[in-house]
Amino acid sequence: MKTRTTFIASLLVSILMFSGCQSEDKQQGAMFQEEVKTIQQIEERSADISNAEEAFVLMRELNQNMKDIRDQILSMEQKYRKASESEKQKLKSEFQEANTQIDQSLNVISGNIEPYKEDKRVSKMLDKLNEIMISK
């Protein structure tokens, strides 16, 4: 799972590097930060998981949140290509910081659901998360 988490984080960094422009995107950037905060809230909730059903529900929410982030990143990719070099550097820095936060949360969540990974539904949610992170 450590390899899987590392791969997911690397993929997210790659996607973030090619993402949007901030000139018009202050609102979109705030939306992205809201999604990061949502992942952090999921991380906090993951500490209280007591059975496979809770792990499944948590993973389902995480998957939906990651889909939302991926969709925002992909929609902003077009604008990134038109941004000036200084805007690109600023965006890279901001998105790398967001990626670090996401990576830390995913690592904690992964550790917290470890006891439930053998459950079929939880396992399927992990596979779906990988698909979300791999697809573009």
Side-chain angles (χ1 to χ4, degrees), residues 16 19-20 32 76 91-100:
L16 292 174
S19 58
F32 187 75
M76 291 169 31
L91 287 171
K92 285 179 185 180
S93 173
E94 290 173 6
F95 285 124
Q96 286 175 344
E97 181 180 327
N99 181 62
T100 300

Side-chain angles (χ1 to χ4, degrees), residues 70-128:
R70 181 196 63 191
D71 292 343
Q72 288 178 5
I73 290 169
L74 293 175
S75 70
M76 291 169 31
E77 184 176 5
Q78 299 273 346
K79 295 175 185 173
Y80 177 83
R81 293 180 179 158
K82 298 175 184 175
S84 69
E85 285 302 313
S86 62
E87 289 174 324
K88 287 180 182 181
Q89 291 300 322
K90 184 177 178 182
L91 287 171
K92 285 179 185 180
S93 173
E94 290 173 6
F95 285 124
Q96 286 175 344
E97 181 180 327
N99 181 62
T100 300
Q101 293 171 347
I102 290 170
D103 187 37
Q104 290 172 348
S105 293
L106 289 176
N107 284 331
V108 171
I109 292 168
S110 176
N112 290 339
I113 65 164
E114 183 72 33
Y116 310 104
K117 288 181 181 178
E118 297 301 319
D119 182 81
K120 188 176 182 178
R121 295 185 317 156
V122 174
S123 177
K124 283 184 180 180
M125 284 292 116
L126 286 169
D127 291 341
K128 286 184 181 182

Side-chain angles (χ1 to χ4, degrees), residues 30-40 64-66 68-69 72:
M31 289 174 59
F32 187 75
Q33 288 302 316
E34 288 177 28
E35 298 297 336
V36 171
K37 287 179 185 177
T38 302
I39 289 176
Q40 291 172 336
Q64 184 58 51
N65 192 261
M66 294 306 291
D68 294 343
I69 290 173
Q72 288 178 5

